[in-house]
Amino acid sequence: MSIAKLTLEGKEIELPTYRGTEEELGIDIGQLRGQTGAITVDPGFGNSGSCNSEITFINGEQGILRYRGYPIEELAENTTFPEVSYLLIYGELPSKEQLQSFREKLTYHSMIHEDMKKFFEGYPPTAHPMAILSSMVSSLSTYYPEMAEEDGDLNVLRLLAKVKTIAAYAYKKSIGQPFIYPRNDLSYCANFLHMMFAVPTEPYDVPKVLEDALNVLLILHADHEQNCSTSTVRMVCSSQADIFASISAGICALSGPLHGGANQKVLEMLEMIQQDGGDYKKYVNLAKDKNSDFRLMGFGHRVYKNFDPRATILRKTADEVLNNLGQTDPMLDIAKHLAEVALSDEYFVEKKLYPNVDFYSGILYRAMGIPTDMFTVMFALGRLPGWLAHWKELRDDPHSRIYRPRQIYTGATQREIVPIEKR
Ligand code: ACO
């Protein structure tokens, strides 16, 4: 294995390197501070690996995304969300028996404690469902304390099963409708749509086209290696905080508009462009203007510098679902124009800014009847198995240490306090 050499203030030190299974090269700086007194500085962590992981591989230059070695395109085409969740968390695709047993557990644990229903009453009607979701997930720890490792494993299943119920209840609360209990005869995705859209006064059959689209959406969001929210989950888990605290922190990190919150912002942006007469070129120019802080939401990605494979799949799925439902959506037309202009514009080409997953997911959620402020909750529902897989990987790593980065201090040097009457 090659050795990296660093010359610092006249002293040369050698740093070992190692490669991952996909030939990614890493320089091990574990001894750097001990040998030189120096640290590395990498704000935004664009060049820093925080861990080794066996869960997801991304090659941003080639637009590759694989979960446990399986290409995202094949998983989206051939599997369901519970199968992908099993794959991420336990490392292999389930056998028929394993899937049956997994599904039964996800169904068995899908109700939340009746007392927790009262919590929803305390939130104002304007509460954002992401804030409700993170608080409710954090509150689950009061019902399911982790005394031993087995509790953590059971809580993985509880979280997968209950988060969809909490998400649907948050929506029902926001529109003032009664909560709809989960049904044991429905699949994971159908059950969620049933809890969202059924009402006690009428029969409701979950349309197959929506169930299938939701499976694809959730699979595409299920993991994305060390993104902001997943790193947050690992950060909190590294202190040995319980699983609910770790996942709740991940939900909070996801809510930001530069991360999962972007899907809501994309639709709000498209609505704004439509209301402004549909002049999308004006907004492309605004995004390029250095004096404006407007960004084209749903464009650009820290890792993908060619195309986001999830956006490619979703663009096709959005077309299919809209055709199937017999809907036309002016937002999709604006989105397509925006994507075409941006993809051929020198600024976006040069900076490698391509449509990301959030660009098309909003159009699909909208076609499914999901309100805009629930979009990021849908992202959280999809990302949950990824967070759980990373939580489990870190918990089971005998070499893991608490995450504790260092800093370069740039504040005042030591000084004396001036008595208050003299300040
Ligand atoms: N519109 C216009 N210009 C952009 C955009 C955009 N959407 N994104 C980046 N740029 C420009 C920046 O102004 C910067 O220009 P400069 O070099 O002249 O200063 C350059 O491209 C690089 O941008 P950074 O912000 O440094 O890139 P970074 O990797 O830190 O951020 C991010 C990536 C946050 C995704 C960014 O592209 C962005 O804000 N996009 C819009 C929000 C969005 O869609 N987020 C969802 C991300 S995907 C996800 O979480 C699922």
Side-chain angles (χ1 to χ4, degrees):
M1 186 52 66
S2 54
I3 297 282
K5 288 186 181 168
L6 174 76
T7 308
L8 186 68
E9 295 176 341
K11 186 182 167 202
E12 185 178 274
I13 63 152
E14 293 191 339
L15 300 165
T17 67
Y18 64 104
R19 287 187 188 271
T21 48
E22 292 285 352
E23 297 302 315
E24 291 167 298
L25 183 59
I27 303 173
D28 182 348
I29 57 157
Q31 301 305 315
L32 180 68
R33 190 166 175 276
Q35 289 189 24
T36 66
I39 60 166
T40 56
V41 183
D42 184 19
F45 308 120
N47 303 282
S48 298
S50 61
C51 61
N52 296 334
S53 178
E54 297 180 358
I55 301 170
T56 288
F57 171 68
I58 300 176
N59 180 322
E61 283 69 35
Q62 293 174 29
I64 293 173
L65 170 60
R66 295 186 203 126
Y67 299 159
R68 303 275 188 190
Y70 297 105
I72 191 65
E73 294 80 2
E74 289 179 28
L75 291 167
E77 185 78 29
N78 301 308
T79 64
T80 60
F81 180 62
E83 278 174 274
V84 168
S85 301
Y86 189 100
L87 170 71
L88 286 168
I89 296 166
Y90 303 112
E92 296 294 338
L93 280 168
S95 66
K96 256 187 183 169
E97 294 72 30
Q98 286 167 329
L99 183 62
Q100 173 69 14
S101 149
F102 187 58
R103 282 201 167 126
E104 278 165 14
K105 286 176 195 141
L106 294 190
T107 305
Y108 178 79
H109 292 291
S110 59
M111 283 203 290
I112 58 170
H113 195 288
E114 280 295 294
D115 287 354
M116 280 192 84
K117 278 170 53 186
K118 296 195 195 98
F119 296 5
F120 288 96
E121 290 164 21
Y123 297 107
T126 50
H128 196 284
M130 278 297 270
I132 299 183
L133 187 67
S134 62
S135 321
M136 294 298 281
V137 166
S138 182
S139 304
L140 283 171
S141 70
T142 59
Y143 292 85
Y144 308 107
E146 271 167 32
M147 317 299 276
E149 196 168 308
E150 305 81 80
D151 299 328
D153 292 320
L154 182 55
N155 286 342
V156 166
L157 293 165
R158 285 189 176 124
L159 270 164
L160 261 183
K162 291 182 200 303
V163 165
K164 70 176 182 316
T165 311
I166 294 172
Y169 281 16
Y171 169 62
K172 287 295 197 191
K173 151 82 189 170
S174 73
I175 55 169
Q177 282 187 5
F179 299 140
I180 300 292
Y181 284 94
R183 263 177 43 188
N184 285 3
D185 59 318
L186 295 179
S187 73
Y188 186 95
C189 288
N191 218 345
F192 173 72
L193 293 168
H194 159 78
M195 288 188 282
M196 286 280 289
F197 298 123
V199 285
T201 45
E202 281 174 35
Y204 173 77
D205 286 327
V206 178
K208 183 81 171 67
V209 57
L210 297 193
E211 183 184 346
D212 291 347
L214 185 58
N215 260 305
V216 172
L217 274 158
L218 297 185
I219 288 171
L220 296 184
H221 285 87
D223 194 41
H224 216 231
E225 50 117 303
Q226 309 309 321
N227 56 84
C228 176
S229 56
T230 303
S231 297
T232 303
V233 169
R234 290 186 83 120
M235 170 77 85
V236 177
C237 171
S238 79
S239 77
Q240 296 183 0
D242 73 29
I243 192 168
F244 301 108
S246 306
I247 300 298
S248 174
I251 295 169
C252 293
L254 187 74
S255 68
L258 296 190
H259 191 11
N263 57 11
Q264 176 173 340
K265 295 285 172 209
V266 168
L267 213 88
E268 288 168 0
M269 175 187 77
L270 294 176
E271 274 166 0
M272 182 176 76
I273 297 175
Q274 194 193 18
Q275 280 159 18
D276 195 21
D279 184 4
Y280 46 87
K281 288 182 186 159
K282 174 177 154 189
Y283 289 89
V284 172
N285 288 333
L286 205 57
K288 289 158 43 177
D289 184 353
K290 279 276 159 221
N291 297 318
S292 149
D293 57 6
F294 176 80
R295 285 191 167 198
L296 275 191
M297 297 311 286
F299 277 79
H301 199 277
R302 174 62 63 80
V303 179
Y304 293 120
K305 298 299 172 199
N306 186 345
F307 65 96
D308 180 340
R310 304 165 303 169
T312 310
I313 299 171
L314 276 191
R315 182 182 173 149
K316 191 166 149 265
T317 312
D319 273 337
E320 283 165 7
V321 170
L322 287 168
N323 279 343
N324 205 312
L325 295 174
Q327 288 183 17
T328 50
D329 188 342
M331 298 291 169
L332 188 60
D333 291 336
I334 296 180
K336 279 180 184 166
H337 284 309
L338 215 50
E340 278 158 21
V341 173
L343 290 174
S344 55
D345 188 285
E346 206 181 311
Y347 174 93
F348 289 83
V349 174
E350 190 202 310
K351 292 189 187 301
K352 299 184 188 300
L353 301 170
Y354 297 87
N356 58 48
V357 67
D358 292 323
F359 193 64
Y360 293 108
S361 64
I363 304 282
L364 253 173
Y365 290 137
R366 191 175 137 93
M368 295 167 78
I370 293 168
T372 314
D373 68 356
M374 280 291 287
F375 288 3
T376 317
V377 170
M378 302 304 296
F379 193 152
L381 205 56
R383 186 53 54 87
L384 184 59
W387 289 334
L388 295 170
H390 284 272
W391 176 86
K392 190 164 152 29
E393 187 174 68
L394 189 71
R395 186 205 59 179
D396 294 344
D397 178 357
H399 306 296
S400 78
R401 303 168 75 197
I402 189 166
Y403 280 24
R404 202 320 187 170
R406 288 184 177 267
Q407 64 165 18
I408 298 289
Y409 175 68
T410 56
T413 51
Q414 184 172 343
R415 49 189 173 157
E416 279 178 17
I417 297 174
V418 178
I420 192 148
E421 56 277 8
K422 291 192 183 168
R423 266 181 247 154

